[in-house]
């Protein structure tokens, strides 16, 4: 379920009309039709309006995000499940699925921080177990992560994941 569908789900299950949840703080003449189009996925609303709508439905932003399945969330959950299963049983039937995901990530020229974190996590955890299939993290990748982290002003969950992996690979002197 996408965020707009999740909003509709909560609104309907709370017996609220579109008029009940209209964001009116900045625009008192807001129309329910715009909100209807948002719920259908054909219209966008500003972050400010969206937060007011959530407040009117009595849903915390993190709650609707957790309830909604975006493609990235679904992919990440599948990765976590696969890697956890493979850590418990390295030669299970899930090995091929994790290797397929690894090859997919490795072949991408441009990776998001999440994808880079997942790729290096697979290398970090499985390169010693599956030497023929997965190489260890290279010096070039360590330098890539270092450059990435030095250029960030604010670290996210995936930045910290990269930092933790790389720190364990550095010699004690560094």
């Amino acid at each position: 379920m996408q965020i707009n569908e999740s909003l509709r789900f909560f609104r309907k299950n709370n017996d609220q009309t579109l008029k009940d949840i209209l964001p009116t703080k900045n625009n008192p003449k807001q129309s329910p039709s715009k909100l209807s189009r948002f719920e259908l996925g054909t219209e966008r609303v500003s972050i400010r309006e969206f937060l007011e709508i959530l407040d009117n439905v009595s849903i915390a932003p993190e709650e609707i995000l957790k309830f909604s399945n975006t493609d990235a969330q679904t992919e990440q959950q599948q990765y976590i499940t696969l890697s956890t299963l493979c850590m418990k049983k390295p030669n299970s039937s899930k090995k091929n699925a994790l290797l397929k995901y690894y090859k997919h990530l490795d072949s991408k020229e441009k990776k998001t921080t999440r994808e880079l974190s997942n790729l290096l996590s697979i290398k970090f955890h499985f390169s010693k177990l599956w030497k023929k299939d997965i190489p260890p993290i290279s010096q070039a990748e360590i330098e890539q992560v270092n450059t990435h982290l030095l250029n960030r002003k604010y670290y996210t969950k995936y930045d910290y994941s990269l930092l933790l992996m790389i720190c364990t690979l550095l010699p004690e002197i560094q």
Side-chain angles (χ1 to χ4, degrees):
M1 207 181 296
Q2 297 297 317
I3 288 176
N4 57 315
E5 296 166 325
S6 297
L7 176 66
R8 183 180 175 91
F9 170 83
F10 279 108
R11 179 181 65 79
K12 291 241 180 210
N13 281 292
N14 289 331
D15 295 323
Q16 292 175 296
T17 66
L18 290 169
K19 209 172 191 176
D20 293 335
I21 67 166
L22 277 176
T24 57
K25 286 180 186 168
N26 294 317
N27 184 359
K29 295 182 182 180
Q30 187 79 263
S31 101
S33 60
K34 179 181 179 183
L35 192 50
S36 175
R37 290 190 302 272
F38 172 72
E39 285 187 344
L40 295 171
T42 60
E43 177 96 18
R44 294 181 184 257
V45 296
S46 71
I47 294 286
R48 183 175 287 149
E49 288 173 315
F50 185 65
L51 292 173
E52 186 180 340
I53 291 166
L54 291 180
D55 195 40
N56 292 342
V57 181
S58 300
I59 301 174
E62 58 273 12
E63 185 176 14
I64 198 157
L65 290 173
K66 190 117 176 128
F67 191 80
S68 303
N69 289 327
T70 64
D71 293 340
Q73 284 176 313
T74 302
E75 180 184 322
Q76 189 64 17
Q77 191 55 51
Q78 288 171 344
Y79 161 68
I80 291 167
T81 301
L82 268 178
S83 64
T84 302
L85 290 171
C86 288
M87 282 180 207
K88 290 178 181 177
K89 294 183 179 179
N91 294 313
S92 72
S93 59
K94 300 296 181 187
K95 176 182 176 181
N96 287 336
L98 187 61
L99 287 173
K100 182 179 177 184
Y101 180 62
Y102 163 76
K103 289 174 184 172
H104 163 73
L105 291 176
D106 195 42
S107 69
K108 289 185 82 167
E109 194 171 306
K110 185 174 173 152
K111 297 169 188 63
T112 64
T113 305
R114 178 183 60 81
E115 291 168 333
L116 180 61
S117 174
N118 289 353
L119 176 72
L120 295 184
S121 178
I122 292 169
K123 286 184 166 197
F124 184 81
H125 293 290
F126 297 101
S127 64
K128 290 180 182 172
L129 291 170
W130 303 333
K131 291 177 184 176
K132 293 179 184 177
D133 300 307
I134 299 175
I137 296 173
S138 69
Q139 186 62 38
E141 288 167 325
I142 291 173
E143 290 169 12
Q144 176 188 6
V145 169
N146 187 39
T147 300
H148 167 80
L149 293 173
L150 287 173
N151 289 321
R152 300 289 279 195
K153 292 181 181 174
Y154 180 82
Y155 285 178
T156 65
K157 168 186 175 176
Y158 300 113
D159 294 319
Y160 285 113
S161 176
L162 288 168
L163 181 62
L164 181 61
M165 278 184 283
I166 298 307
C167 281
T168 62
L169 297 173
L170 295 174
E172 276 186 46
I173 213 158
Q174 289 181 314

